[in-house]
Amino acid sequence: MTATDWASVATRVQAPSGLLIDGAWVEALDGRRMDVVSPIDGARVASIAIGGSADIDRAVRAARTAFEDGRWSGLAPAQRKQVLIAWADLIVARAEELAYLQTLEMGKPAHESLAIDLRAVGTTMRWFGEAIDKVTDEIPHTDPNALALVTREPAGVVGAIVPWNFPLTMAAWKLAPALATGCSVVLKPAEQSPLSALLLAELGMTAGIPAGVLNVVNGLGAEAGAALSAHRDVDVITFTGSTAVGATIMQASAGSNLKRVWLELGGKSANVVFPDADIERAARTAAWSIFFNQGEMCTAGSRLLVHESIHDEVVDLVMDVAAAMQPRNPFADQAPMGALVSASHLDRVDALVQRAKAEGSRLITGGAAAQVEPGGSYYPPTVFDRVDTAASIAQHEVFGPVLAISTFGSDEEAVRMANSTEYGLASAVWTRDLTRAHRVSRALKVGVCWVNCYEEGDLTLPFGGVKKSGFGRDKSLHALEKFWDLKSTWIQLDE
Ligand code: NAP
Ligand code: MG
């Protein structure tokens, strides 16, 4: 797709702009609307309705009514499967429009929106649709005078709160398993990325999701998100976002109805490169893993731990990739990096970089906002070298294209350094030694571990973290477990 092709997609895109409540597109009760600003050039691109706590309450009521009357929860799994697959087909058919909106609102390269996110979104809907009529309940072996059943029942009303960095993929990771189990959902997209979620939901309605089963309330986190988290008739919150907001949501649960909360949070993931690795592949992939998606990734490889003996070689290769991945207009042909999500996020990224410099961390490339032709929020690949693991830039999640390189001398030291942050989302081990690969990956305190690759995998693998990266898993059959309750039924038989 060229810039001209994307311009032609722009002429045919039409996303709804209201709240989706009980199958209808409506305005907020107080009539409030918000402008959507594109980080590509700072232009206002749309106006959307934003809901407050009264709108969240309307959406939760609609979801509850739909859940209790069984219009979706009461269907055979094979019927829900048909609808999810029809939705997947529509997502594939309308992928260019969805990708366009996502790039417009959050700035990632449009070719990646299409090839990476939209493929994931369609596949996720299809995969959970295909899966749901293949899971079964359990009949444990018991005393012959009894029959025991362990049945899975949908939990009820799910609140899904998602971030802006992979707006559609994160929404799909929540919606597909929650809807597959029979739950009803209220989705609260991030305020920076409301448009793609609206079109996604419209396609869901066209595919046959009944009214009230899928509701979308855009709004501010502190209002709509907080109201959903504190609502007494929501059974589950599934969240992806920052560690700080995750903690707030747990408090809201504790202060309301003890709804269960699943949290996918931040990270400070490390690529650990040993001297026996394919060094060129390791260094280039490690660099890509932090600059891809502008570094706005929970799994961004924001730390590079490299054995002292190969430090210079690795740094040269990283600098080579950094030079090649300079940000451009995300609708430009094959732009290697796009715009950061907003001007205020750019300020936050830059403030963390300036703090690192002030603390004495050694900057070897980047380090200031980039001037890119359309004039939006662009930041170049930025690298600090020989960083002390206690330094702020080695500890805090930047959520931008900023890499901290540190060196180690032994395997034990590498593991200790890799585990030295409060996060535990992902990590990669680079070595050709099978024993080392096993021993080191086993010792890493993370939810996702790659060996000789980064960001690889498919829907069969659970995704999520440990420590302050959260708990609960997206993807895989394990994701279904978040959305149903186990019921134990013991039936005493006559002797
Ligand atoms: P965020 O500020 O935590 O926002 C995430 C979502 O929570 C947004 O929809 C936000 O709404 C909402 N929210 C904000 N305050 C809230 C509150 N008090 N109660 C309920 N909801 C609230 O995160 P972000 O800046 O969008 O995304 C970046 C973060 O997400 C990073 O830390 C990143 O590591 C993490 N992340 C994790 C994963 C993972 O799978 N582990 C994946 C992607 C991103 P507003 O937009 O209106 O503020
Ligand atoms: Mg936010």
Side-chain angles (χ1 to χ4, degrees):
M1 299 269 293
T2 63
T4 321
D5 295 331
W6 286 111
S8 110
V9 175
T11 62
R12 63 173 197 267
V13 174
Q14 271 206 323
S17 74
L19 312 174
L20 175 60
I21 297 179
D22 207 10
W25 294 100
V26 298
E27 291 299 317
L29 285 172
D30 63 6
R32 257 199 312 167
R33 295 197 135 237
M34 183 182 81
D35 283 346
V36 181
V37 171
S38 173
I40 297 172
D41 54 6
R44 171 189 172 283
V45 293
S47 157
I48 52 148
I50 58 166
S53 67
D55 299 294
I56 287 289
D57 189 51
R58 279 200 290 169
V60 172
R61 282 170 199 271
R64 172 61 61 193
T65 302
F67 182 76
E68 297 301 336
D69 74 15
R71 68 186 80 163
W72 178 253
S73 57
L75 296 182
Q79 290 175 286
R80 291 199 296 270
K81 161 181 160 171
Q82 294 307 332
V83 175
L84 290 175
I85 289 174
W87 196 1
D89 290 341
L90 287 170
I91 289 164
V92 171
R94 306 280 297 273
E96 289 175 2
E97 291 156 78
L98 289 161
Y100 171 83
L101 287 175
Q102 187 177 258
T103 286
L104 184 71
E105 64 195 2
M106 61 70 66
K108 75 168 72 188
H111 65 95
E112 289 176 353
S113 254
L114 186 60
I116 297 172
D117 299 61
L118 266 299
R119 196 163 71 101
V121 176
T123 307
T124 301
M125 292 303 174
R126 198 178 306 281
W127 196 91
F128 282 101
E130 288 286 5
I132 198 61
D133 64 348
K134 292 159 193 79
V135 289
T136 53
D137 290 330
E138 300 159 27
I139 301 179
H141 293 185
T142 55
D143 183 289
N145 291 320
L147 174 65
L149 308 176
V150 181
T151 48
R152 293 172 169 77
E153 301 187 343
V157 175
V158 172
I161 303 177
V162 297
W164 44 261
N165 62 336
F166 285 81
L168 289 169
T169 307
M170 293 303 111
W173 282 9
K174 313 300 188 194
L175 295 176
L179 292 170
T181 59
C183 289
S184 298
V185 182
V186 178
L187 172 69
K188 207 302 273 177
E191 66 189 82
Q192 297 86 348
S193 55
L195 300 175
S196 54
L198 294 171
L199 180 54
L200 179 73
E202 183 176 62
L203 299 182
M205 303 308 290
T206 307
I209 304 274
V213 171
L214 169 62
N215 305 274
V216 181
V217 180
N218 276 308
L220 305 181
E223 297 175 6
L228 193 56
S229 313
H231 201 289
R232 289 181 179 275
D233 204 26
V234 171
D235 300 291
V236 180
I237 293 280
T238 176
F239 172 77
T240 293
S242 61
T243 297
V245 171
T248 307
I249 291 173
M250 284 192 85
Q251 284 167 344
S253 164
S256 54
N257 63 341
L258 294 177
K259 61 181 67 63
R260 89 189 78 151
V261 172
W262 302 108
L263 304 177
E264 303 279 7
L265 308 173
K268 195 72 190 175
S269 302
N271 275 281
V272 186
V273 185
F274 293 95
D276 62 7
D278 176 339
I279 292 171
E280 167 127 20
R281 190 149 69 93
R284 289 190 182 279
T285 308
W288 169 85
S289 79
I290 177 64
F291 305 138
F292 168 65
N293 212 60
Q294 305 76 239
E296 294 167 328
M297 291 221 299
C298 52
T299 51
S302 52
R303 295 183 297 149
L304 172 52
L305 309 181
V306 48
H307 190 270
E308 183 57 52
S309 65
I310 52 168
H311 167 271
D312 294 357
E313 187 182 350
V314 168
V315 169
D316 284 350
L317 289 159
V318 166
M319 294 293 272
D320 195 36
V321 176
M325 285 187 74
Q326 296 298 313
R328 292 174 61 200
N329 181 333
F331 286 118
D333 256 349
Q334 300 300 314
M337 205 202 271
L340 292 186
V341 68
S342 65
S344 63
H345 185 58
L346 183 145
D347 289 345
R348 189 182 156 270
V349 167
D350 190 55
L352 290 168
V353 168
Q354 301 319 320
R355 175 176 165 193
K357 275 165 51 181
E359 285 174 354
S361 289
R362 198 165 74 89
L363 179 72
I364 57 171
T365 188
Q371 301 309 314
V372 172
E373 182 255 307
S377 311
Y378 298 87
Y379 210 85
T382 295
V383 180
F384 288 94
D385 191 22
R386 297 198 175 279
V387 173
D388 187 299
T389 46
S392 67
I393 203 68
Q395 291 291 324
H396 299 310
E397 182 181 53
V398 177
F399 225 58
V402 182
L403 176 64
I405 302 178
S406 311
T407 60
F408 62 83
S410 69
D411 291 24
E412 294 68 31
E413 193 187 3
V415 168
R416 205 166 46 244
M417 288 165 75
N419 287 339
S420 71
T421 77
E422 58 182 13
Y423 295 110
L425 189 52
S427 205
V429 184
W430 295 88
T431 175
R432 288 190 174 106
D433 179 326
L434 190 62
T435 299
R436 177 182 265 158
H438 277 290
R439 287 201 190 287
V440 174
S441 56
R442 219 184 262 166
L444 293 173
K445 294 188 181 358
V446 292
V448 179
C449 188
W450 290 289
V451 177
N452 296 330
C453 62
Y454 209 91
E455 292 295 344
E456 296 295 339
D458 60 29
L459 271 169
T460 59
L461 269 96
F463 177 90
V466 299
K467 296 160 72 181
K468 278 191 165 179
S469 293
F471 47 83
R473 295 293 180 262
D474 287 326
K475 296 169 59 198
S476 85
L477 294 179
H478 295 285
L480 298 168
E481 292 159 16
K482 296 192 291 193
F483 304 113
W484 55 39
D485 293 310
L486 291 181
K487 177 181 279 180
S488 297
T489 306
W490 182 276
I491 303 171
Q492 197 66 49
L493 304 177
D494 288 343
E495 307 226 353

